[in-house]
Amino acid sequence: MNTLFMHCRPGFEGEVCSEIAEHAARLNVAGYARAKPQTACAEFICNDAEGPERLMRELRFSQLIFPRQWARGAFIELPETDRISVLLEHLAQFPTCGSLWLEVMDTNDGKELSNFCRKFEAPLRKALTGAGKLQDDASKPRLLLTFKSGREVFVGLAAADNSAMWPMGIPRLKFPREAPSRSTLKLEEAWHHFIPRDEWDERLHGDMTGVDLGAAPGGWTYQLVKRGMLVTAIDNGPMAESLMDTGLVQHLMADGFTYKPKQPVDWMVCDIVEKPARNAALLETWLGEGLCREAVVNLKLPMKQRYAEVRRLLDRIEEGFKARGIKVAIGCKQLYHDREEVTCHLRRLDLKRR
Ligand SMILES: C[S@@+](CC[C@H](N)C(=O)[O-])C[C@H]1O[C@@H](n2cnc3c(N)ncnc32)[C@H](O)[C@@H]1O
């Protein structure tokens, strides 16, 4: 079990390698990262068998930026027939697991394999339960089988509360037909990722106010309005009429980089496609000056050194707040609905609700 296996968006394998290698070096876990381009996965091969478990114990999965899923384990080969017996034999050394997910990579080959997984899952589940290897218990580790082909599978484990929320880290969110743009799913996914479900009613509710910078046509504003908030939408472009009809939206044609609300608001969200340093500066201003208590802002990724650049900006934000004595929780993730960008979430921890 010396391998930590990670899924990611195709094309971001190098970012996963840089990110995990940096954490491993900091935590003194010896090993090396490797990945092939466009495979939507990467591995960290540890020198010691305990390495992957240590990484998973020391790191919170939700704090990783580029990995969409992770598991510790090993690849095994499967025969053409009776794959279940071979899997059961391999799993003899595994603990009883609390859940089972069958996964594939987010590539065209992976999509073709998902049919095979669907058919294979029921008989496998039955066999594992019969052999005492699977019980419905969230406190037990999750068994993650990632199929590279029908003949090769990564058999891995991850804690259910310290790994992806959805198989392969891909959320199953339904596009609301009334929403003005597909981007709406980005903000909804961000909330799922950054705000525990049992805190939604307290942190996203109808007595709140929000500002949406770069709002048109209104996919993100739609999400704020859906939670009942009063929203100021900043954009020179037109907002969807259906949103304006709710009476909850004030549309201002202004520059999102200079606009400031007269009264502090609860939420600021920003989906303006700009240089990442400019959007990061918005976060520093809005959170730092107490103009909002929580914010979700997209950071467009540079062409090269994408992990290094994001890390540099996040470190700068964090150090800046620390120097000013401002307590802020900072999260950053390449969400499934993000392409060449990552999504940041910041929350002031030292401001009471007004
Ligand atoms: C990606 S779109 C936003 C989509 C929106 N979040 C949605 O869900 O419908 C980016 C928007 O930012 C706006 N924009 C670009 N620069 C801006 C600026 N300096 N101030 C305000 N809005 C800006 C553009 O007009 C565009 O409508």
Side-chain angles (χ1 to χ4, degrees):
M1 297 261 269
N2 73 337
T3 302
L4 182 68
F5 182 78
M6 289 153 287
H7 294 240
C8 64
R9 182 176 187 86
F12 289 84
E13 300 78 11
E15 280 61 43
V16 174
C17 288
S18 308
E19 186 174 4
I20 201 70
E22 187 182 282
H23 284 299
R26 183 174 49 82
L27 296 166
N28 274 322
V29 176
Y32 63 96
R34 69 175 182 197
K36 287 196 188 129
Q38 300 297 334
T39 52
C41 61
E43 294 167 38
F44 190 79
I45 317 289
C46 298
N47 293 358
D48 301 320
E50 305 77 48
E53 196 173 356
R54 264 197 62 213
L55 285 174
M56 293 180 104
R57 207 175 38 238
E58 301 286 341
L59 296 170
R60 290 305 300 165
F61 177 75
S62 56
Q63 297 285 328
L64 297 175
I65 300 169
F66 288 97
R68 276 193 193 161
Q69 174 62 297
W70 67 356
R72 61 177 197 277
F75 275 103
I76 64 165
E77 285 186 17
L78 295 175
E80 195 72 62
T81 54
D82 201 12
R83 298 176 174 94
I84 289 180
S85 300
V86 174
L87 272 169
L88 280 177
E89 200 177 309
H90 181 75
L91 290 170
Q93 43 174 318
F94 275 56
T96 299
C97 293
S99 52
L100 165 71
W101 284 3
L102 271 61
E103 304 190 324
V104 292
M105 260 65 82
D106 186 15
T107 59
N108 289 337
D109 287 350
K111 281 183 195 105
E112 278 175 27
L113 262 180
S114 34
N115 268 342
F116 158 80
C117 289
R118 258 192 295 276
K119 285 190 209 133
F120 188 54
E121 182 169 347
L124 176 65
R125 194 172 282 282
K126 196 167 162 213
L128 291 175
T129 308
K133 284 286 163 194
L134 186 63
Q135 290 170 359
D136 190 8
D137 182 346
S139 68
K140 289 191 162 51
R142 174 166 290 149
L143 178 59
L144 294 161
L145 301 183
T146 306
F147 286 85
K148 257 194 171 170
S149 71
R151 304 291 297 273
E152 197 185 3
V153 61
F154 187 85
V155 183
L157 292 175
D161 63 356
N162 193 23
S163 53
M165 262 183 279
W166 298 279
M168 299 149 64
I170 300 183
R172 303 269 165 242
L173 301 178
K174 204 164 164 255
F175 174 65
R177 266 188 301 143
E178 342 60 271
S181 70
R182 285 205 69 79
S183 302
T184 198
L185 293 178
K186 262 199 249 182
L187 186 57
E188 189 181 347
E189 184 184 355
W191 283 344
H192 279 284
H193 183 78
F194 295 114
I195 307 180
R197 201 67 177 88
D198 58 359
E199 292 180 20
W200 281 35
D201 285 347
E202 176 203 332
R203 288 167 62 184
L204 295 164
H205 64 73
D207 292 339
M208 290 182 154
T209 49
V211 168
D212 184 353
L213 303 175
W220 286 28
T221 295
Y222 169 86
Q223 290 293 335
L224 299 166
V225 164
K226 201 167 137 202
R227 302 295 302 177
M229 290 186 213
L230 276 178
V231 183
T232 306
I234 309 294
D235 204 306
N236 279 328
M239 293 295 287
E241 268 180 35
S242 54
L243 275 177
M244 300 312 295
D245 290 346
T246 62
L248 292 175
V249 182
Q250 183 194 20
H251 179 194
L252 298 181
M253 292 192 178
D255 180 357
F257 290 101
T258 51
Y259 169 82
K260 284 187 184 177
K262 289 197 180 73
Q263 294 291 325
V265 295
D266 296 289
W267 277 91
M268 182 274 274
V269 297
C270 172
D271 190 19
I272 300 177
V273 183
E274 246 292 353
K275 287 196 184 70
R278 267 198 108 186
N279 287 20
L282 270 181
L283 281 168
E284 292 173 305
T285 305
W286 278 72
L287 274 290
E289 293 182 14
L291 300 177
C292 66
R293 288 185 308 112
E294 294 203 46
V296 169
V297 173
N298 267 342
L299 294 187
K300 191 171 147 36
L301 291 166
M303 300 292 279
K304 286 185 195 156
Q305 298 276 315
R306 295 182 287 194
Y307 172 68
E309 176 64 6
V310 171
R311 187 77 266 159
R312 192 183 66 77
L313 288 173
L314 293 174
D315 288 349
R316 190 187 82 186
I317 295 173
E318 193 176 346
E319 282 155 23
F321 285 137
K322 217 183 259 172
R324 293 154 77 184
I326 296 170
K327 275 191 155 179
V328 177
I330 303 176
C332 180
K333 190 85 187 170
Q334 187 179 41
L335 300 172
Y336 174 67
H337 290 95
D338 284 334
R339 289 166 187 265
E340 292 294 324
E341 71 238 344
V342 290
T343 300
C344 293
H345 169 252
L346 275 77
R347 181 186 188 202
R348 282 283 295 247
L349 299 173
D350 50 2
L351 286 184
K352 291 256 172 308
R353 267 227 79 203
R354 286 172 290 278

